Amino acid sequence: AHPKVSLGQIAEAKEMEGDVYWQQGQRDQARARYQEVFELHPSDASDREAQAKLATLALDSAEVQDKLKQVFISQVSPQLKITLLHEVIQEMPAWGLPYYLIGRQLHFEQDYAPANRYLLKAAAFGLPQQSLAIENARLIGINSYRLEQYGQAIQQFQRMAADSLLPLGVINDAKDWIERCEWRMGKPIHK
């Protein structure tokens, strides 16, 4: 409520409130706070986090929700997170979110080939929100670039650049990655 507080700080406080409510088993209150975070749009990363939490809270399975709660808001090791996500996959094998979360974690660990295997499955099964799908596609392209699979990276980024429904920043970022790939391949850069 302070007049000099930033939008990001407000969103962070609301997300923390949501996390506390979720830990206490008050899912409706947690859902309301995450929805408020998403409506503030403080950043793409915050939007994705809020959407992933909202998608989780919309599930019917309390057991799956509890496992994902540990992934999202408990201080557990990356290895335990991946183990929990594999357990979620065993219970819900056609749900894209746990594949995305594993792929994202592996991407951050710079384990690009396994990351892409999970991210491609997430894309095949679909993700609950557009911002998650955009980030998933972006990570597939970046991982392909890091693996020196420039042709595959270009194809991924060309699909993103050609999608006029995506935000202009996403389209321009995809075009930048295409140029990077072409430069690495020694090809002339087309604008």
Side-chain angles (χ1 to χ4, degrees):
H2 193 277
K4 292 187 179 181
V5 72
S6 72
L7 183 66
Q9 290 170 318
I10 292 169
E12 186 178 352
K14 288 184 180 294
E15 184 174 4
M16 283 185 193
E17 285 180 330
D19 291 350
V20 169
Y21 281 129
W22 196 2
Q23 284 283 42
Q24 294 173 343
Q26 299 177 38
R27 292 184 177 116
D28 290 339
Q29 291 88 341
R31 194 177 356 251
R33 290 304 181 278
Y34 299 142
Q35 187 61 43
E36 289 177 38
V37 171
F38 178 68
E39 289 170 4
L40 288 172
H41 299 294
S43 69
D44 290 342
S46 291
D47 283 359
R48 287 190 302 272
E49 182 84 10
Q51 288 178 327
K53 289 177 178 180
L54 287 166
T56 299
L57 286 168
L59 296 173
D60 291 331
S61 172
E63 186 177 338
V64 170
Q65 282 186 17
D66 287 341
K67 287 177 183 176
L68 287 170
K69 177 171 57 173
Q70 290 180 64
V71 169
F72 288 125
I73 62 179
S74 296
Q75 299 297 324
V76 297
S77 70
Q79 293 77 18
L80 181 54
K81 285 183 182 183
I82 289 177
T83 298
L84 290 166
L85 290 166
H86 277 286
E87 290 174 10
V88 170
I89 288 171
Q90 286 180 340
E91 294 182 41
M92 301 180 71
W95 190 40
L97 186 62
Y99 294 98
Y100 161 77
L101 294 170
I102 293 172
R104 184 173 171 264
Q105 180 66 43
L106 293 171
H107 168 82
F108 291 138
E109 293 173 7
Q110 299 179 356
D111 203 354
Y112 302 120
N116 263 6
R117 285 193 292 275
Y118 284 97
L119 296 169
L120 288 165
K121 285 184 180 180
F125 290 125
L127 288 160
Q129 299 292 334
Q130 183 188 32
S131 67
L132 295 169
I134 291 169
E135 181 66 3
N136 192 72
R138 184 177 165 278
L139 292 177
I140 291 169
I142 292 171
N143 291 342
S144 297
Y145 174 85
R146 299 280 185 236
L147 292 166
E148 299 180 5
Q149 298 169 344
Y150 303 119
Q152 290 175 341
I154 288 171
Q155 288 176 351
Q156 185 69 24
F157 290 121
Q158 282 177 335
R159 283 192 292 274
M160 294 175 73
D163 189 342
S164 62
L165 299 177
L166 293 180
L168 185 58
V170 171
I171 292 170
N172 287 335
D173 182 57
K175 289 178 181 178
D176 287 344
W177 277 104
I178 292 167
E179 289 181 11
R180 237 181 258 192
C181 292
E182 289 177 342
W183 183 82
R184 291 298 295 240
M185 293 173 72
K187 290 185 175 182
I189 297 174
H190 300 94
K191 290 208 173 196

